[in-house]
Amino acid sequence: MPEEIKVPIDAPSVAAALELARSRGAQEVVVRLEPDFEEPPEAWPLELEAGAGAGDFRSLEVVGPPERHAVLRDVALSTSDAEGLKVLLQGVVVRGRATLDGPGCALDDCEVRHGIEVGHRGAACLRGCEVHGKAIGIAVHGGVAIEDCEVDGCAIAVSLYGNAAASLRGNVFRRCRAAAVVLHCQMEAEEGAVLQLAPMIDESNAIEECARTFEVHIEVEGATALTFTDEWPLTPSLHTLRRGRGGSVEVEVEDSGTSLRVVGGEAAPEKTERRKRKWQRPDRAEANEGADGVGLESEAEILGPSWARQVLGLGEERVTPRQVRAAYRRKAREVHPDKQRQRAPSGGAAGAGLEVGSEEGASGRAGSFHRLTEAYEALLTGVPCDEGGRRRGRGGWDAAAGAWEEALTKTEKKRQRAARTWPAAGTGAAEGCG
């Protein structure tokens, strides 16, 4: 005989009644709720479980009074997969959400205010229940029998996920804003693949004032989804679906209306490998190429004007741009005006090979450094210069006369700003390289 406990007579709450039954070692328990009972908030959520382990209930029933005059909040029913287990909730109002996960779980003659969810392990049945919810009335992930239930005012009355083996009989789906029943499932795209729709939905179900009766969404691997609306069983037909990377899949709905088969299609075109070009720093040789084709990064040997080699302290042999840059840095450390301020005035003319004017001071030091820079540019950029040090334009004297005068004016202004005076003799524009 099952252990029977009355709430709140024998125990103040359902949770306390379950603890009392465990203390008595009972395996079959019936908890009867008195009229107007309401489970206290500290007992939420209420978990009703049955299992095959030691100390577990094998059968658990929570039964409300006539006309559902007892209130629970959120309720979770669960059983293990062992045979002979049972968890039943009957004749109560659930003001929250009810979840069922296990083949022995059942909900009978209950009103659920915030929807019902059936887990992946399924449930035994939902029978004679009233269901309300803002979005989904009954969400089904596993097998369950839904019979004589009424779902009112939801966006979707019953949503079936993963091709769940659910059966719907004698239900009433009313005022659904999206659809009464929605089915979501997947199938492979290989030729010969078959999808057998598992739900059993017969004509005994009544659908009233719903935006749509049925929606079936089938996701085909690697292709666009296949959608059917307002038809069950499905109408036999052939559908061509595009693949995401090209090609197509042909899916046929067979005569039964509940079976789909992949009958062909076109393979996606072979993807051509496109080598991604790496970003490379623009060649400075191309950006600074001179009239004779010699650039900054070119390692070809260059000769250049003799006056420039003399200023940089280079011999008559051909040199590479790397050697020119090294000579320039070495001489710049000797004649740079900032370095010369720390030396004696006579050090302003330092630097072997530099043709510096006789005037001492800032103007002489600035002129020496400018002449060194001009010699470096004349050698490195490969622009021809005459013996006096003037740089020619790329098209010769006649073609570059205007550009030369403009560049000369800018160079003189720079020298004046640096030395604060006109350059000394020997470093003027007539002998410098613009």
Side-chain angles (χ1 to χ4, degrees):
M1 291 293 294
E3 183 78 19
E4 185 172 312
I5 302 176
K6 294 182 180 181
V7 176
I9 297 175
D10 300 328
S13 65
V14 176
L18 299 180
E19 292 297 328
L20 179 60
R22 287 191 180 94
S23 66
R24 296 176 180 178
Q27 291 189 338
E28 297 182 2
V29 181
V30 176
V31 178
R32 296 194 179 276
L33 307 180
E34 294 295 313
D36 300 324
F37 169 77
E38 184 172 348
E39 185 77 355
E42 57 268 17
W44 301 343
L46 180 61
E47 297 182 354
L48 307 178
E49 301 176 347
D56 294 337
F57 301 127
R58 295 193 62 86
S59 176
L60 174 59
E61 297 181 15
V62 177
V63 181
E67 299 182 4
R68 304 173 185 165
H69 285 172
V71 177
L72 302 179
R73 186 66 177 182
D74 297 321
V75 182
L77 287 69
S78 64
T79 66
S80 64
D81 295 331
E83 295 182 359
L85 302 180
K86 176 183 178 182
V87 174
L88 171 65
L89 181 62
Q90 180 180 2
V92 298
V93 174
V94 179
R95 288 185 177 172
R97 187 171 182 82
T99 60
L100 297 84
D101 192 15
C105 299
L107 207 62
D108 187 11
D109 190 28
C110 293
E111 179 183 349
V112 183
R113 301 284 178 85
H114 292 281
I116 301 173
E117 182 175 1
V118 178
H120 293 280
R121 294 193 295 122
C125 68
L126 305 175
R127 183 180 295 110
C129 296
E130 292 183 21
V131 184
H132 308 276
K134 294 182 179 179
I136 299 176
I138 304 175
V140 179
H141 299 272
V144 64
I146 304 175
E147 301 175 354
D148 302 322
C149 293
E150 181 179 339
V151 184
D152 189 4
C154 301
I156 299 173
V158 179
S159 184
L160 307 171
Y161 299 93
N163 199 23
S167 62
L168 283 68
R169 299 186 184 91
N171 302 287
V172 177
F173 306 132
R174 186 180 294 112
R175 290 190 292 271
C176 299
R177 299 185 298 277
V181 179
V182 178
L183 171 62
H184 304 268
C185 53
Q186 299 176 344
M187 72 177 301
E188 298 179 354
E190 297 180 0
E191 186 173 355
V194 177
L195 173 64
Q196 182 67 42
L197 300 179
M200 298 178 61
I201 307 173
D202 60 23
E203 297 179 354
S204 62
N205 298 285
I207 300 176
E208 303 174 359
E209 302 179 26
C210 294
R212 290 180 178 174
T213 55
F214 298 96
E215 283 190 14
V216 179
H217 299 277
I218 301 175
E219 295 183 5
V220 181
E221 182 180 6
T224 56
L226 188 58
T227 303
F228 303 88
T229 58
D230 294 326
E231 52 180 305
W232 185 268
L234 306 180
T235 303
S237 54
L238 180 64
H239 302 268
T240 301
L241 309 177
R242 295 193 306 272
R243 293 180 183 269
R245 296 182 177 271
S248 61
V249 179
E250 293 185 354
V251 179
E252 181 183 15
V253 180
E254 298 184 341
D255 294 339
S256 64
T258 57
S259 180
L260 294 89
R261 181 186 300 272
V262 178
V263 296
E266 296 180 0
E270 294 184 2
K271 183 180 179 181
T272 58
E273 294 186 1
R274 300 175 62 182
R275 298 181 62 183
K276 187 176 181 181
R277 296 182 60 184
K278 293 184 177 179
W279 180 88
Q280 296 181 354
R281 182 179 178 180
D283 191 358
R284 292 176 60 187
E286 297 179 1
N288 298 289
E289 187 175 357
D292 58 356
V294 178
L296 290 177
E297 297 297 330
S298 172
E299 290 300 327
E301 293 182 345
I302 57 178
L303 184 59
S306 58
W307 71 269
R309 296 198 308 274
Q310 183 179 1
V311 170
L312 290 171
L314 299 173
E316 296 297 328
E317 68 280 358
R318 292 180 179 272
V319 292
T320 64
R322 183 174 298 178
Q323 293 173 327
V324 174
R325 287 193 291 270
Y328 172 73
R329 287 193 292 268
R330 182 173 61 254
K331 291 295 184 181
R333 285 193 292 268
E334 298 177 2
V335 301
H336 195 282
D338 291 343
K339 295 289 185 181
Q340 296 302 317
R341 291 192 185 98
Q342 301 176 0
R343 302 181 183 180
S346 60
L354 294 174
E355 299 181 6
V356 185
S358 59
E359 182 179 348
E360 300 284 347
S363 61
R365 292 192 294 270
S368 299
F369 181 73
H370 283 302
R371 183 166 177 77
L372 176 66
T373 302
E374 293 162 359
Y376 167 72
E377 293 178 352
L379 280 179
L380 204 56
T381 61
V383 178
C385 295
D386 66 348
E387 292 300 328
R390 288 201 186 106
R391 181 181 302 169
R392 300 177 186 176
R394 297 188 181 184
W397 286 107
D398 295 337
W404 162 247
E405 293 296 337
E406 182 181 356
L408 182 61
T409 303
K410 292 181 179 179
T411 302
E412 290 175 350
K413 290 181 179 180
K414 290 180 181 179
R415 289 177 179 176
Q416 291 178 8
R417 285 195 298 268
R420 300 297 181 183
T421 184
W422 188 261
T427 61
E431 299 184 2
C433 185

